[in-house]
Amino acid sequence: MANQEEAFKKVVSHAKEYGYIFPSSEIYDGLAAVYDYGQLGVELKNNIKQYWWKSMVQYHENIVGIDSAIFMHPSIWKASGHVDAFNDPLIDNKDSKKRYRADVLIEDHIAKIEDKIKKEVEKAQKRFGDAFNREQFVSTNPRVLEHQAKIDEITRRYSECMNANDLAGLRQLIIDLEIACPISGTRNWTEVRQFNLMFATKMGSVSEGSDTIYLRPETAQGIFVNFLNVQKSGRMKVPFGIAQIGKAFRNEIVARQFIFRMREFEQMEMQFFVRPGEELKWFEYWKAERLKWHLSMGIPAEKYRYHDHEKLAHYANAATDIEFEFPFGFKELEGIHSRTDFDLTRHSEFSGKKLQYFDSELNENYTPYVIETSIGVDRTFLAVFSHALKEETLEDGSVRSVLGLPAVLAPYKAAVLPLVKKDGLPEKAREIFDMLKFDFMLQYDEKDAIGRRYRRQDAIGTPYCITVDNDTLSDNSVTVRERDTMSQERIPIENLKTYLHQHIQPISVQ
Ligand code: GAP
């Protein structure tokens, strides 16, 4: 746990030190759970969004994108159920006066037991070495089985309470598990209450008598209310999808874990409209497809897992999360939901407009069913960034910080570095920079010794350094240094563009 905390602190401080993420309004002591992306952060974030957009919109003929407004008609949030049911169960500790999400307290408790299992497995793995059989160990070891039985029992009670909206039951579970407030250390808890997460504001210059509108808590509703516009103007045939990237806002009470849970964040969502009855087939399809997308970034498969929902939202008939092992444990990164015809039907009822599709093959009208894929940009950023950050001890005993970002996502694809700041090398380096800058985001740097410049590029995640030396002037070649292996090769300048294009590719996953 202490190690995890240390690793997480390093992620936060590295992100700040190198211009990836700053606390919002920092000179005014910050604003809780709101962050600004700096000069490198915005590049990584834009690359993540572009990578998602390409894989969803560009690579699928039957998916198109939109960009709907953040402000929407207030009735939309009535129809979607957010006004009545977009709540978190909150509980206060009477001694510290701190407020917590009751569900998060319980989930954190489960995570601690999971951590104990993980430690048992790691210990056994060390002991047995290559002969270790993980599956056999977790299904027979008495200590692991005892921990697992505890988790199963807590999960059962927790799901029952959540399904029945039993707030008193949630409180009782917290008391029975002897969960204490991390600040006061006491178990002096209030009742559990529901709290709506939407931010409300007034539209119009005079607040009196004007309508209350909400900052959207998800981008999905902007897609549903444009279903007919897109289907008709784009002559879309079911099955088809509508994708959107945009800001969402939630008044998160337990705002912590850096950019994992923010009050203002970005989502990348896609709603896929299908024939009724075919939704579970498409659910399985998108479940597999989305995991492939994550793996295509080169992060090992064991960092991801599915978490199928036991408690389904009232509108869903299947749901799973893709969880990622963040520095603070496995947590939700993306949700894949089979939302039935709930949203289109509700918007039809509330708007009085028929949101249906005429299927010419079946010769019938129906309300399409929907599979949703919904992923946070910021959580993807945190997943990619935290996994990439490493400290390596080199042969000479020195330590280098290296941000091993997938090349396709790295802010700068290459740095162009004249070995020395004289003898015509800067001019040659500038020439190379100008030749490549229309294809790649580059950095030019001539300050400090070359070793220090390499270290800086390692720390910000630049996959390639192009070094211009005296030989370059005669042989028209440069040294290309690769970030992760630190290997160097000599490349003719005329081949540089092709070399970089070939090396900055996503990993293809079958
Ligand atoms: N339209 C469905 C929907 O919004 P969700 O599970 O509430 O589903 C989807 O959110 C994704 O949005 C999550 O998996 C997460 O990646 C991201 N997300 C949700 N709340 C967030 C928050 N407060 N801060 C950062 N990301 C968040």
Side-chain angles (χ1 to χ4, degrees), residues 286-415:
W286 281 110
K287 194 174 154 180
E289 250 339 80
R290 293 303 304 145
L291 186 60
K292 273 192 213 160
W293 181 84
H294 289 280
L295 297 178
S296 74
M297 290 188 280
I299 298 178
E302 58 266 24
K303 298 286 285 186
Y304 297 91
R305 72 181 185 196
Y306 288 121
H307 169 225
D308 294 329
H309 288 205
E310 289 191 11
K311 180 202 178 225
L312 289 174
H314 56 284
Y315 52 77
N317 64 3
T320 197
D321 293 335
I322 295 179
E323 293 187 339
F324 182 79
E325 192 177 17
F326 289 98
F328 37 81
F330 272 100
K331 297 271 175 198
E332 174 186 341
L333 172 57
E334 168 155 17
I336 298 142
H337 311 123
S338 174
R339 297 181 69 117
T340 66
D341 59 353
F342 174 82
D343 303 272
L344 291 182
T345 304
R346 292 280 288 186
H347 287 305
S348 287
E349 283 166 18
F350 277 71
S351 68
K353 309 276 175 344
K354 211 167 162 189
L355 300 180
Q356 287 207 327
Y357 171 76
F358 177 71
D359 192 321
S360 53
E361 278 176 34
L362 300 179
N363 198 24
E364 72 179 58
N365 264 313
Y366 54 76
T367 305
Y369 273 44
V370 172
I371 306 302
E372 167 182 79
T373 72
S374 175
I375 176 170
V377 177
D378 314 271
R379 281 193 196 174
T380 311
F381 188 113
L382 183 57
V384 167
F385 191 91
S386 60
H387 174 72
L389 186 61
K390 291 182 187 70
E391 280 197 344
E392 283 179 6
T393 306
L394 303 178
E395 273 174 17
D396 64 2
S398 65
V399 175
R400 74 162 182 156
S401 278
V402 53
L403 192 62
L405 294 171
V408 69
L409 299 182
Y412 296 117
K413 306 304 180 208

Side-chain angles (χ1 to χ4, degrees), residues 33 82 86 101 217-221 224 248-252 258-269 271 309 315 321-322 326 332-337 339 372-380:
H82 283 82
F86 193 52
R101 265 175 63 176
E218 62 172 16
T219 61
Q221 299 303 324
F224 294 124
F249 304 84
R250 296 183 189 178
N251 198 358
E252 299 281 3
F258 195 34
I259 56 170
F260 180 81
R261 200 178 301 286
M262 300 158 91
R263 297 200 164 110
E264 175 181 341
F265 58 101
E266 257 183 295
Q267 289 185 315
M268 307 189 276
E269 297 199 297
Q271 312 295 327
H309 288 205
Y315 52 77
D321 293 335
I322 295 179
F326 289 98
E332 174 186 341
L333 172 57
E334 168 155 17
I336 298 142
H337 311 123
R339 297 181 69 117
E372 167 182 79
T373 72
S374 175
I375 176 170
V377 177
D378 314 271
R379 281 193 196 174
T380 311

